[in-house]
Structure formats: structure tokens, C-alpha cells
Amino acid sequence: SLVSQDEGSFHLKDTAKALLRSLGSQAGPALGWRDTWAFVGCKGGPVLGEKHSRSPALSSWGDPVLLKTDVPLSSAEEAECHWADTELNRRRRRFCSKVEGYGSVCSCKDPTPIEFSPDPLPDNKVLNVPVAVIAGNRPNYLYRMLRSLLSAQGVSPQMITVFIDGYYEEPMDVVALFGLRGIQHTPISIKNARVSQHYKASLTATFNLFPEARFAVVLEEDLDIAVDFFSFLSQSIHLLEEDDSLYCISAWNDQGYEHTAEDPALLYRVETMPGLGWVLRKSLYKEELEPKWPTPEKLWDWDMWMRMPEQRRGRECIIPDVSRSYHFGIVGLNMNGYFHEAYFKKHKFNTVPGVQLRNVDSLKKEAYEVEIHRLLSEAEVLDHSKNPCEDSFLPDTEGHTYVAFIRMEKDDDFTTWTQLAKCLHIWDLDVRGNHQGLWRLFRKKNHFLVVGVPASPYSVKKPPSITPIFLEPPPKEEGAPGAAEQT
Amino acid sequence: MSRINKNVILALLTLTSSAFLLFQLYYYKHYLSAKNGAGLSKSKGSRNGFDSTQWRAVKKFIMLTSSQNVPVFLIDPLILELINKDFEQVKNTSHGSTSECKFFCVPRDFTAFALRYHLWKNEEGWFRIAENMGFQCLKIKSKDPRLDGIDSLSGTEIPLHYVCRLANHAIHLVVFHERNGNYLWHGHLRLKGHMDRKFVPFRKLQFGRYPGAFDRPELKQITVDGLEVFIPKDPVHFLEEIPHSRFIECRYKEARAFFQQYLDDNTVEAMAFRKNAKELLQLAAKTLKKLGVRFWLSSGTCLGWYRQCNIIPYSKDVDLGIFIQDYKSDIISAFQDVGLPLKHKFGKVEDSLELSFQGKDDIKLDIFFFYEETDHMWNGGTQAKTGKKFKYLFPKFTLCWTEFVDMKIHVPCETIEYLEANYGKSWKIPVKTWDWKRSPPNVRPNGIWPISEWDEVIQLY
């Protein structure tokens, strides 16, 4: 049975309308602003009753509707499915007796599998690394995320713990469906402080439950996990062990969009902490972060706090060119449809299994500098008289390496970069992806290096004849629409 | 003549038939016992103990656990003692050539095994298979104490104990969980309302009266009474730990309530102090452990554990207690060697000994030595300027393990009595200025050192 509450039509998208149509509803697909509407029907069955009242004017509501119907019930035996009696199907039965809306999980004839047997990962260096899934109350997201997580090569289900922020039943049901460990946390504080306290409780609990672990993988419920996520971590985790100048390893490239990321075997060092699927070193958490984690009354974002110089202390994260996680969440504390469409939908996500990362040890501190200098020496300098925002800024080649120099007066002068990021349609809300004034991405399948002059130490590579590009921000207009919400 | 003949014939007949009867009896007994005894012994029925219910239960349990990949090891104190005493015997025994059941047949109600939980891959199906093998099992589970921190978390319960009965013997499987501070923890065996209190003689269990903490033992495999079992590599050390293994949790619920009332200090100075105090405590613990000297959290450090499960940020030092009979003269040099020089030494081993070591950033490590009297304990204090002696009285206490700042460490089991002696009934209220000569309710003047002794009993560096 469906009932419209003030107000039901504004967010009613085409997919929902089509669904209502398929249920047999007449008024649902045509629902107007502040109409009142009640509907009782059956999936795959007849409409049992529907009443609708139009709202006469924008500022008023439709008349109240009263709908009375008789609903014929079917016996329990007819309603239940007759799956084979296995432990998996017992879990399935428990789940399906409580919730629905999970597609063919509860289908009698063709139930979708809830156990996955991804290929084992040979020499899996992250076999015993605990995985913390930070969840709230978006059980359908959690379901999608856990499916992809459990399908990743090299996953250890017994190392996964889902931490739910609040005593919500349905997320726990989803966790139980997959036979995983779920823990509920009494929420503290409000808004982003609540999220921050939840992260802290979850990370502390993770290291308490796995006292031998030296690392933890931190994931959220609104991420798709790449099939080679653990393979990626297994090949790179020794860097976090051996290189103290590293803050984290993250699966997310902030600038890795479909048109700016190409090479799944390529890794970068960046001066930001992207989050969205990352590895936390236990010593960092226990010795530095946990003791001074923001207290419940501080309304700060935990990830913004972690990115602050007082916490990061000049350390860098390792990221892949092609992200190993995909952020699909549209509903959330800091998300909305528009924001997702603009900054997350077209993010490149790796679907190639078993990628062998290239030259992993060149990501160590000194070795990376050697690699950058090599790249810059080989890079072809572009024609700086052209507009860098145009596609024609780069020649129509593939597989080449190009370099462009932009104006960057000081370490914190990101004026030109921000304009460039804007016109290239990559992340421009704050500065991400830089390493000592250098950005690396792909354009038209060529590797594209951007050096900020003179702030970057790589400015020495600039030929004297080249003038660094300067892009001015457009003048602020009165009453201009505000920028999208910040993460 | 014929009458005498008749009697003789009767007597002869009776004699022969009795003889025949006796012969039958003898032959019957011999025949039957030969069938049963397989020629080994003449004792009634048992084959040197290998038929005993205890041995059979253990054998079945070992079969069950090895077939299900449950990596158990033997922790039964009775058996381990015997194995330890007769170690040579066990070493020289090989498969199958046991002539006598010496260990597992000892009459007893239980055999205790242990299991490290995270090594157990398939707990779900185990119960059913155990029952199919004839065991009747009881599972004790409870909330995971590792989730009980300063945040309020709850998850599914964890198994703490399994008690599996077969005939009139029972196997007690103690489930150990890994905890921060590099130790194994097992829970309290508490029967829930609906459980059958007569299932086994619970009072005779060797483990489970309290939660317990043990060092993680290395294991070795031996063959005992024809059965392959894992036991701790150092059974003596394990056996010594058992009577001193009692563990108490930090009172997180009360700590949360405390922080509701008195906001936690999160200034940079407070955090720096906590970090330094934790490092100092870890260093002291490592050093004392190497020397084999038992110690516990005392004074302000103990109060911090009890009241707020953390180091009190305005306390100026780390306080430890050591029984004077555990004193070793190389304590001072051992601390010196790890970078903690002696700051002052008051008193002497015979009376009011007190040591203080200098840590980094102005934190001191104060060690109070406790002296035992018939009905109380005390430690001494000395005022350097005047030579005045003080005595701090405590009710007698025993030591328990607990977890504090990611370490397994001792505290007095009777903590509230210990703290109230030192801080009075208002210990819940933070007091930032504490005069050790006057503030403690348990302080008593104890005379004065004779000036001739001052060089010995007042040493400042």
C-alpha cells in the first residue's frame, strides 16, 4: 500500500512512475504537486484500491482521501519458497521473511547467489588485514557494496566487520544474509560529528578485535569495490610498511574520470587523503589520530580533519590512476543527485581483474622523484599559446607524454589550477592530486603533466622560452548561483 | 555287606559329581576370562585403563577436533602436572607401544582443553557434529568485552566456553580471544537462567570461575597414552600462570558516566602527557618483566584506570607498586640501562623503600614498595628536608590482570578498598592539587630517620 505525504510528486522520477504503472496505478504516474493519493495493490496482481484527489492550487493541498479495501491473504506455505535446506538458504529464508526489495534474493525459482567464490589471490599480503565497513542506514546501498566486496579476488570474509551507526534492523539483516560480522554503535552527537564519532568507534573497535593487525582497510557502504581491489592492496601494502613518508594507500583517484584516467597499472603519490576505500596504518591511528580525534561537540568532517596539515604532517598517499572503488551513493549527509551527477557519475572504475601494478617500488619517496624527473625529461612541451581547456591543446596522438606549465606563485596559489580543473571537468572544489606542485592525468589517452611555476621544484624543467599559463577566475557576479556542496 | 556297599557307592557318586561340577566351574571361569582378557592381564575387564571413560572421552574429543580442524591444545592442570613430572617417560614413548594408561585415565570429572578463537574456521557446523559423535554440549557465550570501550558498541555474542559431556566425563573447552597487549583472554563461565545446573559438576571446573589472562603459549605436539595432543611448550610457566590469571575489565560504563560529568581534557598538553606516560609505563613494564619482578598500578595511575580507564592528564607521574619481597637490587641499574636514571631513593629495603626514576619531559616513575603485616599492607614515604617518615596503610589485597592503555597489567583486585584508603570516599571527584603528605586519608606519621642514617635513606640525584 502506498500513500503520498506532503510532498510526493517533486522527486517522483520516471523510473518510479514506470514502476507504479506496472503495478496498475492510474493516478500514481500522473501525481501532481501536493495531491493526496492512496493505493493498495499486489506485486504481479490486481489493483485492490486507489483514490486520488488533486490539489486545487499551488499553495494548498488535495482533499483528504479515505481508502477501504479487503486484502486477500495467502497461506504461509504458498507464500514461502521451497529452496534446498542449506545453511545459505536458511540465511536467505531468515532474511526474506523480514525484508523485501532486494530483487531476486528472495525469488523462489531463481534466487540470486549470496555466496561468491572469487579466485584466491596467490601470495595474498592482505589476507589478515581487517576490513571495516562504515555503514549507516542505507541497507540497499550496503547490499550492493557487500556483493561487490565479496566478489573481489582475495577477499577474506571473516576479516570483514560492518559497523552500523545506530540500532537499525535492516542493515543488520543484510549483514546476516551474507554471514558477516555486524556491530551496532550507539550514535553520539549530530550531523558530521556523529559520522566522525562513528568512524572513531569503528576504527578503535577494529584494532581491538584484531590486536595483531598492523593495518585496517576502511570502506563505506556506498562504494562498488573493484574485482582487483585486494590484489591492488596486496601489491602495494609493503610501501605503507616501509615508507614513513606515506600517510595512506587509497583506491580512489580524485582526478580519475573517464576522460582523464587510462592506466590501471599506474600509481601516483599525492599530497591528499582521498578516502573512499583506503588503508590505515595502526601505528598512525593509535599513536597520532586516536588520542586527539575530534570530540563529539566539534562539528567537523572526519576526513577534512585528517587532511589538515596538523594531522597529515607532510605525508602522502598512494593512489592508482584508475580508481579501484566507485562511489555510487546519491543519498547521504553530504550528497545529492546533482552533486553526484557532476562529480561522481563519470568516475573511471577498474573492471580488469588481476592487474599487475608497474614499478611499485618507484613509489617510494626518493625513487618517485627519480621517476618524475625521468618523465619530465621525456615529456614533450606543449604549445602554450593555445587554450589549455580545448581538446586541441594536445595533439591527436596516443601514448605520448606531454607537459604544460601553469602559473603558481606560491605553495598555496591554486588559482590557475582550479580554473584548469574546472574547464577539464575534474575535481575543482578543492585542490587534489598534486605532488609538490605537479599534477598527473591523461588527456586523449596521453599522459599529461601539469607543473606549477615557480612554486613547484619541478619548475627547473621549464624551458626559458615558455611563459606559464595563467587562467583568471571569472569575475564574481552579484547573485551568481552558489557552488555545489562541499564534501 | 551290600548295605555298606550302597553307602560307599553313594559317597563315590557324590564325590565324582562334585568333582565334575568343580571342574566345570573352573573350566568355565578360565574359558570366559581367556576370551575377555586377550591374554594380557588377569584383572577384571579393564585393559590397563584404556577402557576408562576419561580416556575414551578424550580420544573421541581429539578425533572430533582434528577431523573438524579445530586447533585445540591441552591445558588441564592435573594432566599437565603429571606430564611435566614424567616428562622423560612421555618423551621415550612412541606411537602405540603404550603399555599402561598413565595420564588420561586418572580419575577426574573434567579434561580441560583450550582454543584460540580466531584460528577456528568453521564453528557453525561443529556443534552438530559433536552431538552426532555422542557428545552432549553446552555453549556459554557472552558480549565481546573488546567492544566495550569508551564508545558504546554491541555485536553478536562470542563463545566463551564449551562443556561437552560423554558418559560420565566431560571435556571443558576454554575459548581464548586475542586482545591488545599481546595476551589471550578467556571469559567467565556463568550459567544463564535456563541452563541445567546439574549438567556437570560445574564447581569442579578448573577454569571459568573468573575471566582469565594468559601469555600466548607456544605449543608442541606430544603423544600421551597413545593420543596425539598439543600442549604448551613450557608447561611449567603455564601452570604457574593459572592461579594468578584472574582478569578484571576496566569499568567503561562508569568511565563514560565520569566523562559526562567532568569533560575530558583534550588540550595539547594533556595529550602529550598521556602519550609520554603511556610510553614510560610500557618501558617500565618491559624492564620489570625482564627482571621477573611483579608490579601493579598504584596511586594516581590506579585511580585513572578505575575512574576513567585512562591516564589522568593532570597527574604528574606514573605510580607503581611492588611487594618488598619481590625487590631485586638490579632494578636501579636495569632502569638506568633503558634511559631512566634514578632521581631519588628514600628508605631502605628493611623500611619504607621508595624509588623514583626520571622519564622524559619531566615525568617521573615512582615505585612504592609494599610491606606486609598480619592484617594490613603499608608503604612508606620520606620528607627529604626534615627526614620525617610517613606510613600509608592499605587493607590486604591480591593482584588481578587488567587491560590499560593497550597493555596487560596488574591492579589490586580489591580496587575500591585500595583506592578509598588512598583517596577517601570522594575519589570520584577530580582533585588537581594533591599533597601526598596530607591529602591521603591513610597517611600516618611514622617517626623520623636518625640523622646518622640520612645518607643512606635520603638519596637525591
Side-chain angles (χ1 to χ4, degrees), chain A residues 212-479:
Chain A
E212 300 297 286
R214 293 191 311 281
F215 304 99
V217 174
V218 187
L219 302 173
E220 283 113 21
E221 65 188 343
D222 55 0
L223 298 175
D224 280 330
I225 304 298
V227 65
D228 75 329
F229 179 77
F230 292 100
S231 163
F232 159 72
L233 290 183
S234 177
Q235 295 175 63
S236 53
I237 194 118
H238 70 281
L239 296 172
L240 201 54
E241 183 109 56
E242 293 162 19
D243 188 347
D244 280 334
S245 70
L246 287 176
Y247 197 42
C248 78
I249 298 178
S250 171
W252 181 264
N253 178 3
D254 284 307
Q255 308 296 14
Y257 291 86
E258 276 165 14
H259 59 290
T260 53
E262 275 312 311
D263 189 355
L266 184 58
L267 300 175
Y268 302 133
R269 279 180 77 110
V270 292
E271 287 173 26
T272 42
M273 204 287 296
L276 295 176
W278 55 288
V279 181
L280 171 67
R281 208 195 267 124
K282 177 178 180 171
S283 54
L284 170 67
Y285 182 69
K286 279 286 176 189
E287 290 165 26
E288 294 183 46
L289 301 178
E290 189 189 34
K292 51 178 180 151
W293 198 271
T295 41
E297 74 286 354
K298 299 208 169 73
L299 295 180
W300 299 345
D301 292 331
W302 71 274
D303 53 342
M304 302 289 267
W305 175 78
M306 260 191 87
R307 289 185 194 117
M308 288 167 69
E310 294 87 341
Q311 276 68 256
R312 193 171 64 80
R313 288 160 66 194
R315 291 171 288 194
E316 298 186 292
C317 285
I318 304 270
I319 62 169
D321 176 51
V322 180
S323 302
R324 294 329 203 252
S325 58
Y326 179 78
H327 180 269
F328 62 79
I330 297 178
V331 173
L333 182 71
N334 296 315
M335 284 300 296
N336 60 49
Y338 169 74
F339 186 44
H340 185 265
E341 194 79 21
Y343 289 100
F344 290 93
K345 187 160 177 198
K346 297 210 182 83
H347 220 90
K348 190 151 178 139
F349 177 57
N350 181 49
T351 48
V352 179
V355 172
Q356 284 307 303
L357 300 175
R358 201 168 49 243
N359 272 343
V360 179
D361 282 327
S362 71
L363 273 299
K364 288 196 183 156
K365 191 169 178 177
E366 287 88 18
Y368 196 64
E369 298 311 306
V370 171
E371 171 65 10
I372 297 294
H373 279 275
R374 183 192 69 79
L375 273 173
L376 286 172
S377 306
E378 284 178 8
E380 300 161 41
V381 182
L382 292 165
D383 180 357
H384 283 56
S385 63
K386 293 199 183 153
N387 182 351
C389 295
E390 301 282 327
D391 262 354
S392 55
F393 187 58
L394 268 77
D396 286 331
T397 55
E398 271 187 29
H400 285 227
T401 305
Y402 295 107
V403 63
F405 297 89
I406 63 172
R407 195 195 291 189
M408 184 174 163
E409 301 288 350
K410 291 179 294 161
D411 272 341
D412 55 2
D413 169 25
F414 298 112
T415 326
T416 305
W417 166 256
T418 305
Q419 294 312 307
L420 184 60
K422 231 187 256 301
C423 74
L424 293 180
H425 303 293
I426 57 180
W427 185 271
D428 60 353
L429 296 176
D430 55 13
V431 179
R432 307 234 176 137
N434 70 320
H435 167 77
Q436 300 190 49
L438 165 75
W439 285 266
R440 294 173 66 176
L441 53 149
F442 283 83
R443 285 181 75 175
K444 301 201 299 192
K445 299 192 194 292
N446 297 287
H447 199 39
F448 179 50
L449 301 151
V450 179
V451 178
V453 176
S456 169
Y458 309 118
S459 306
V460 300
K461 295 288 197 183
K462 180 185 80 68
S465 55
I466 297 287
T467 315
I469 295 169
F470 177 58
L471 295 175
E472 235 182 319
K476 274 230 171 72
E477 297 161 25
E478 284 298 320

Side-chain angles (χ1 to χ4, degrees), chain A residues 184 186 208 212 291-292 295, chain B residues 144 152 154 180 216 266 271:
Chain A
Q184 287 163 315
T186 307
N208 274 350
E212 300 297 286
K292 51 178 180 151
T295 41
Chain B
D144 192 334
S152 184
S154 72
N180 266 325
R216 202 181 294 120
N266 272 311
M271 293 198 284

Side-chain angles (χ1 to χ4, degrees), chain B residues 167-194:
Chain B
N168 63 349
H169 188 68
I171 307 288
H172 178 197
L173 180 58
V174 179
V175 183
F176 277 109
H177 297 272
E178 307 266 337
R179 290 184 72 154
N180 266 325
N182 216 8
Y183 64 100
L184 296 180
W185 170 90
H186 75 76
H188 180 185
L189 201 157
R190 190 191 279 125
L191 296 176
K192 298 232 170 91
H194 58 90

